[in-house]
């Protein structure tokens, strides 16, 4: 029969068919593969045919579907007559699953042949293993490879269809088929050894819901089950192989990727360095821009929420405020005893001191490396006050300071200080945040409903008084201030500050005609100390504004006052003459009035307290007539030394005042500061010696700025002009200082910068000269641009050099001159603000943030036309 002949042909290795030779098929496949055709060849389903009733299903060409892996889901048992099937079962030979209905021709075309068995059952013929059964499901697997392959069906004759599918071997190996969750992995069919050519590996064939494949022929079910078992084994093997291959390919891919990254990184390190630098610089610029915008936004918010008290009216009847609420002063922490391994030694032996005595001993130990502890007056005052806090037994033991050894205690505090200096940034940030919390709680008050900053809300801790110069009380003990020493001032409707636990205030009062929040009496001089508001507050600003307005009024009355004190030079009464000469010195030299001093205070003097020994008269000196030489200690023990030519009548009066007097006698023995200020107040309400000093300082600044400033100056030159004007005022007011300790070092560094910049300028000049020469010889657009570039570079370097030289001059001139004192206390800030606005100089160049807060009223109200 036909089926048996075809089975024999397949077993013998025949790979060709009668109607389609191998050569023709091979030629066509190669031709289509070369052309890159993506057309899918369609296979056909082989349908089981009956002998008589189903004639149209026997035609293989009538059904064209793509070659599919079929799911056989039939659970139905085929019923057949055993007698009818017996004769044909003997001629049917079932082989393994690979041989079952499959064979390959010489062109690697896989022929899938499903043998048909004629079974006579009620006149019907059933097809065993046909492509179409009752529950057979056919589905299409899309192949996304760039090389698509064609499936086609092939018929040998009209009696029975044979399916033949062709795929290239590489396509089968590279194909990755993804199945959905309802699909089972396909069974892989391997190439058999007995074929003349290599068979492509087929993907697994999906088989589900198969209880058994029934064959009426004997042993058919068992044979098909063995096929299924073989399929499962091959499926597990192929899964393990795919997993190994996948891991291997992943490792290879990782190695390749890492190698490529290393090559790229090593290759691009040098080339990408400028790019990285540019990127980092760009990011840095962006951060700076963001910070700038953030600062500007914060500044705008601060300005928007700023209290412009100067636009409001003043309180009547001398009232300073209507409501005042605060938390009181912040007391220093209690004393922490020294560790047991840090002893105090007396006569070489350790002594355990009481807490009070030990605390005072630490004050002295901390100052061992300071020159104060070498002064006899300091040592005597300290030892006297220290013995007062000792116990009776300690006083009996410790009798000489020279036998006391504080070195161990000093070393302990030095090490403690070093530990604090070496704290990490995070640790310092924690301390800063704690300090900020305390400032937020104690450093602000509510004044008339507005939040104002308090100046010195922390009480000074106990310690040793130092003083300035050779103060007679240096070394004395400044005692710890207790809440029982403090008077609190607040409004009646405000909550009274709570004192520390276990303590109470000395007194609570509600006086709105004063500006202080708390007060106490310090023990060194018996002076009253105050807690006041910050200089940026309304109360301080109003006081400054009033002071400068009074000084401006003096400008209208000063000529009359000068005529009056000149007239007094020739008065018959000695008191009037002394008053006239004293006012002349205050007006011309901007001397302080001077107050009477106690014997236990520093020997500093002012105009009214000058002694005969403080001046020397020279009728002729250095080409000048009637020269007075001043030499005395002024405020803060700053020496005032000056040679000033005076008018003849003043010179005569000074000789008269010095007659028959000892060097220690007062020069102006008939007048006092109180008398002098009283006469000034009679000349103009509110006028004092200090107002005269403020008037002369502000007038000098205005005159110097008008004289030294030129419109075409650079900003740096204008700043130098301002500092020189400020310096003239500082010299007038005798605002001197000692040269900073780092002055020489900073000047050397600045001079080194100037030297390097000078070399750069000289180099730039040579390069410009060479560029001009090259351009002259061979003119071109490129050489022209090079010349322009070199000119710009030279100009920029020259400006930088000029700026550095101006800084050097400015520093040298201000070496021993304190510009800040006069700038903050004697110069009307509106002069500076108007000058900045007129000459386009940023106010920030003159006033820092603190100064701008202090003079916010002046910055807001002054325009460029303001004149003192």
């Amino acid at each position: 029969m036909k089926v048996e002949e075809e089975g024999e042909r397949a077993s013998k290795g025949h790979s060709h068919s009668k109607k389609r030779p191998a050569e023709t098929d091979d030629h066509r496949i190669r031709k289509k593969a070369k052309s890159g055709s993506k057309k899918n060849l369609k296979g056909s389903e082989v349908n089981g045919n009956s002998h008589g009733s189903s004639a149209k299903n026997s035609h293989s060409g009538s059904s064209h579907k793509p070659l599919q892996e079929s799911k056989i889901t039939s659970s139905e048992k085929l019923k057949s007559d055993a007698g009818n099937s017996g004769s044909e079962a003997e001629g049917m030979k079932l082989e393994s699953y690979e041989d079952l209905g499959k064979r390959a021709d010489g062109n690697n075309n896989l022929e899938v042949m499903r043998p048909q068995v004629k079974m006579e059952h009620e006149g019907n013929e059933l097809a065993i293993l046909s492509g179409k059964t009752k529950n057979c499901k056919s589905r299409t697997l899309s192949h996304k490879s760039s090389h698509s392959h064609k499936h086609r069906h092939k018929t040998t004759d009209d009696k029975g269809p044979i399916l033949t599918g062709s795929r290239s071997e590489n396509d089968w190996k590279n194909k990755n088929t993804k199945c959905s969750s309802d699909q089972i992995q396909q069974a892989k069919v391997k190439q058999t050894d007995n074929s003349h050519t290599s068979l492509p590996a087929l993907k697994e064939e999906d088989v589900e819901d198969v209880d058994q494949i029934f064959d009426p022929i004997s042993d058919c079910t068992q044979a098909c089950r063995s096929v299924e078992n073989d399929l499962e084994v091959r499926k597990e093997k192929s899964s393990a192989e795919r997993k190994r291959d996948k891991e291997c390919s992943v490792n290879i891919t990782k190695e390749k990727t890492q190698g490529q990254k290393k090559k790229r990184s090593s290759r691009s390190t040098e080339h990408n360095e400028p790019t990285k630098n540019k990127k980092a610089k760009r990011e840095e610029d962006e951060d700076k821009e963001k910070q700038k915008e953030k600062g500007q936004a914060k500044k705008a918010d601060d300005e928007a929420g700023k209290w412009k008290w100067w636009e409001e009216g003043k309180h009547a009847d001398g009232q300073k405020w209507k409501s005042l609420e605060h938390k009181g002063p912040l007391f220093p922490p209690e004393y922490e005893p020294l560790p047991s391994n840090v002893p105090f030694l007396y006569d070489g032996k350790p002594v355990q001191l009481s807490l009070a005595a030990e605390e005072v001993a630490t004050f002295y130990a901390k100052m061992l490396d300071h020159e104060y502890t070498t002064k006899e007056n300091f040592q005597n005052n300290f030892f006297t006050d220290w013995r007062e806090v000792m116990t009776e037994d300690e006083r009996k033991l410790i009798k000489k300071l020279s036998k006391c050894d504080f070195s161990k205690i000093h070393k302990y505090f030095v090490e403690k200080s070093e530990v604090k200096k070496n704290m990490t940034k995070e640790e310092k940030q924690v301390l800063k945040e704690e300090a900020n919390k305390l400032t937020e709680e104690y450093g602000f008050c509510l004044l008339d409903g507005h939040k104002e900053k308090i100046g010195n809300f922390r009480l000074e801790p106990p310690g040793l008084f130092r003083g300035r110069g050779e103060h007679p009380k240096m070394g004395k003990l400044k005692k710890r201030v207790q809440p029982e020493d403090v008077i609190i001032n607040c409004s009646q409707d405000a909550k009274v500050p709570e004192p520390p636990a276990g303590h109470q205030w000395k007194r609570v009062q509600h006086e709105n005609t004063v500006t202080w929040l708390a007060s106490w009496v310090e023990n060194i001089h018996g002076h009253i100390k105050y807690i006041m508001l910050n200089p940026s507050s309304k109360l301080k600003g109003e006081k400054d504004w009033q002071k400068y307005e009074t000084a401006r009024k003096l400008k209208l009355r000063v000529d009359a006052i000068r005529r009056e004190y000149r007239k007094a030079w020739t008065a018959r009464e000695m008191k009037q003459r002394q008053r006239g000469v004293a006012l002349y010195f205050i007006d011309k030299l901007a001397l302080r009035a001077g107050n009477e001093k106690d014997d236990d205070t520093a020997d500093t003097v002012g105009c009214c307290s000058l002694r005969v020994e403080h001046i020397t008269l020279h009728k002729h000196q250095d080409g000048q007539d009637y020269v007075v030489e001043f030499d005395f200690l002024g405020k803060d023990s700053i020496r005032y030394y000056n040679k000033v030519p005076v008018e003849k009548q003043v010179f005569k009066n000074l000789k008269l005042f010095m007659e028959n007097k000892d060097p220690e006698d007062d020069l102006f023995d008939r007048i006092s500061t109180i008398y002098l200020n009283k006469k000034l107040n009679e000349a103009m309400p509110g006028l004092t010696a200090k107002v005269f000093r403020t008037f002369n300082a502000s007038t000098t600044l205005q005159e110097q700025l008008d004289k030294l400033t030129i419109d075409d100056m650079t900003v740096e030159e204008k700043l130098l002009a301002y500092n020189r004007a400020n310096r003239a005022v500082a010299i007038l007011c005798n605002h001197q200082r000692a040269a900073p300790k780092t002055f020489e070092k900073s000047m050397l560094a600045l001079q080194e910068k100037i030297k390097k910049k000078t070399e750069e300028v000289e180099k730039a000049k040579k390069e410009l000269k060479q560029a001009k020469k090259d351009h002259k010889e061979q003119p071109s657009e490129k050489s022209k641009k090079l010349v322009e570039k070199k000119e710009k570079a030279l100009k920029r370097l020259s400006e930088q050099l000029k700026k550095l030289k101006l800084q050097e001059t400015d520093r040298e001139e201000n070496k021993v001159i304190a510009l800040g004192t006069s700038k903050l206390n004697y110069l009307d800030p509106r002069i500076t603000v108007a000058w900045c606005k007129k000459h386009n100089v940023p106010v920030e160049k003159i006033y820092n943030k603190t100064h701008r807060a202090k003079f916010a009223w002046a910055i807001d109200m002054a325009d460029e036309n303001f004149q003192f």
Side-chain angles (χ1 to χ4, degrees), residues 428-577:
K428 290 180 180 179
Q429 183 63 28
V430 171
L431 295 179
K432 185 179 179 181
E433 289 175 357
E434 292 176 355
N436 291 340
K437 288 180 181 178
L438 292 175
T439 301
E440 189 64 29
E441 182 178 1
Y442 292 93
F444 294 90
C445 71
L446 284 177
L447 182 74
D448 293 343
H450 296 275
K451 189 177 180 180
E452 291 277 56
K453 195 172 182 180
I454 301 173
N456 54 333
F457 64 91
R458 286 184 172 88
L459 291 179
E460 191 176 2
L464 301 181
F465 177 73
R466 303 185 184 187
R468 291 190 174 109
E470 296 297 325
H471 201 287
K473 290 190 174 183
M474 66 171 60
K476 291 188 70 65
L477 175 64
K478 293 188 297 182
K479 296 180 180 179
R480 183 182 293 272
V481 179
Q482 299 294 341
E484 288 75 12
D485 304 323
V486 178
I487 301 173
I488 297 295
N489 187 34
C490 62
S491 56
Q492 290 184 345
D493 58 344
K495 181 182 178 181
V496 177
E498 294 183 4
H503 295 272
Q504 61 182 8
W505 304 119
K506 181 179 181 179
R507 187 171 73 250
V508 177
Q509 67 181 42
H510 314 287
E511 184 61 57
N512 63 358
T513 58
V514 297
T515 60
W516 53 268
L517 284 65
S519 68
W520 68 96
V521 178
E522 52 90 18
N523 67 293
I524 299 295
H525 302 97
H527 295 164
I528 300 176
K529 294 284 187 178
Y530 298 99
I531 289 181
M532 310 285 283
L533 293 181
N534 189 269
S536 62
S537 65
K538 172 191 174 182
L539 298 182
K540 288 287 187 180
E542 281 183 340
K543 189 175 181 180
D544 287 343
W545 187 14
Q546 184 178 358
K547 177 179 69 175
Y548 294 121
E549 282 299 305
T550 304
R552 289 185 74 193
K553 292 178 182 177
L554 177 59
K555 186 177 181 179
L556 304 175
R557 307 286 295 274
V558 68
D559 291 338
I561 294 172
R562 285 170 177 169
R563 286 194 299 268
E564 196 276 332
Y565 72 62
R566 285 174 177 272
K567 185 178 179 181
W569 293 346
T570 56
R572 298 183 62 181
E573 186 181 2
M574 185 64 68
K575 188 175 184 178
Q576 296 297 326
R577 288 195 178 195

Side-chain angles (χ1 to χ4, degrees), residues 466-700:
R466 303 185 184 187
R468 291 190 174 109
E470 296 297 325
H471 201 287
K473 290 190 174 183
M474 66 171 60
K476 291 188 70 65
L477 175 64
K478 293 188 297 182
K479 296 180 180 179
R480 183 182 293 272
V481 179
Q482 299 294 341
E484 288 75 12
D485 304 323
V486 178
I487 301 173
I488 297 295
N489 187 34
C490 62
S491 56
Q492 290 184 345
D493 58 344
K495 181 182 178 181
V496 177
E498 294 183 4
H503 295 272
Q504 61 182 8
W505 304 119
K506 181 179 181 179
R507 187 171 73 250
V508 177
Q509 67 181 42
H510 314 287
E511 184 61 57
N512 63 358
T513 58
V514 297
T515 60
W516 53 268
L517 284 65
S519 68
W520 68 96
V521 178
E522 52 90 18
N523 67 293
I524 299 295
H525 302 97
H527 295 164
I528 300 176
K529 294 284 187 178
Y530 298 99
I531 289 181
M532 310 285 283
L533 293 181
N534 189 269
S536 62
S537 65
K538 172 191 174 182
L539 298 182
K540 288 287 187 180
E542 281 183 340
K543 189 175 181 180
D544 287 343
W545 187 14
Q546 184 178 358
K547 177 179 69 175
Y548 294 121
E549 282 299 305
T550 304
R552 289 185 74 193
K553 292 178 182 177
L554 177 59
K555 186 177 181 179
L556 304 175
R557 307 286 295 274
V558 68
D559 291 338
I561 294 172
R562 285 170 177 169
R563 286 194 299 268
E564 196 276 332
Y565 72 62
R566 285 174 177 272
K567 185 178 179 181
W569 293 346
T570 56
R572 298 183 62 181
E573 186 181 2
M574 185 64 68
K575 188 175 184 178
Q576 296 297 326
R577 288 195 178 195
Q578 288 188 2
R579 179 179 63 83
V581 173
L583 285 175
Y584 172 76
F585 285 157
I586 290 172
D587 184 16
K588 182 177 178 65
L589 303 178
L591 295 180
R592 293 182 176 88
N595 296 309
E596 295 179 358
K597 301 283 184 178
D598 297 330
D599 294 336
D600 59 350
T601 58
D603 186 22
T604 59
V605 299
C607 183
C608 294
S609 55
L610 283 171
R611 297 192 294 269
V612 173
E613 61 183 349
H614 293 145
I615 66 170
T616 305
L617 302 179
H618 303 281
K619 192 172 184 178
H620 300 286
Q621 189 181 47
D622 299 332
Q624 295 177 324
D625 297 333
Y626 311 115
V627 177
V628 179
E629 181 180 355
F630 292 88
D631 191 0
F632 60 89
L633 291 179
K635 184 181 179 180
D636 297 335
S637 297
I638 300 297
R639 181 189 180 193
Y640 182 89
Y641 181 81
N642 197 6
K643 292 181 179 181
V644 184
V646 297
E647 296 189 26
K648 184 178 180 180
Q649 188 60 45
V650 172
F651 190 84
K652 286 182 178 181
N653 283 330
L654 288 174
K655 285 186 69 176
L656 183 62
F657 299 159
M658 295 172 68
E659 285 180 358
N660 303 320
K661 289 184 180 179
D662 294 329
E664 299 83 11
D665 294 338
D666 291 335
L667 182 64
F668 302 106
D669 57 333
R670 305 290 179 93
I671 63 173
S672 64
T673 304
I674 296 175
Y675 169 77
L676 193 63
N677 283 328
K678 181 181 178 181
K679 288 296 181 181
L680 288 174
N681 192 59
E682 290 175 357
M684 189 188 85
L687 181 61
T688 62
K690 187 174 182 179
V691 173
F692 243 113
R693 185 176 170 86
T694 303
F695 164 76
N696 281 306
S698 295
T699 302
T700 302

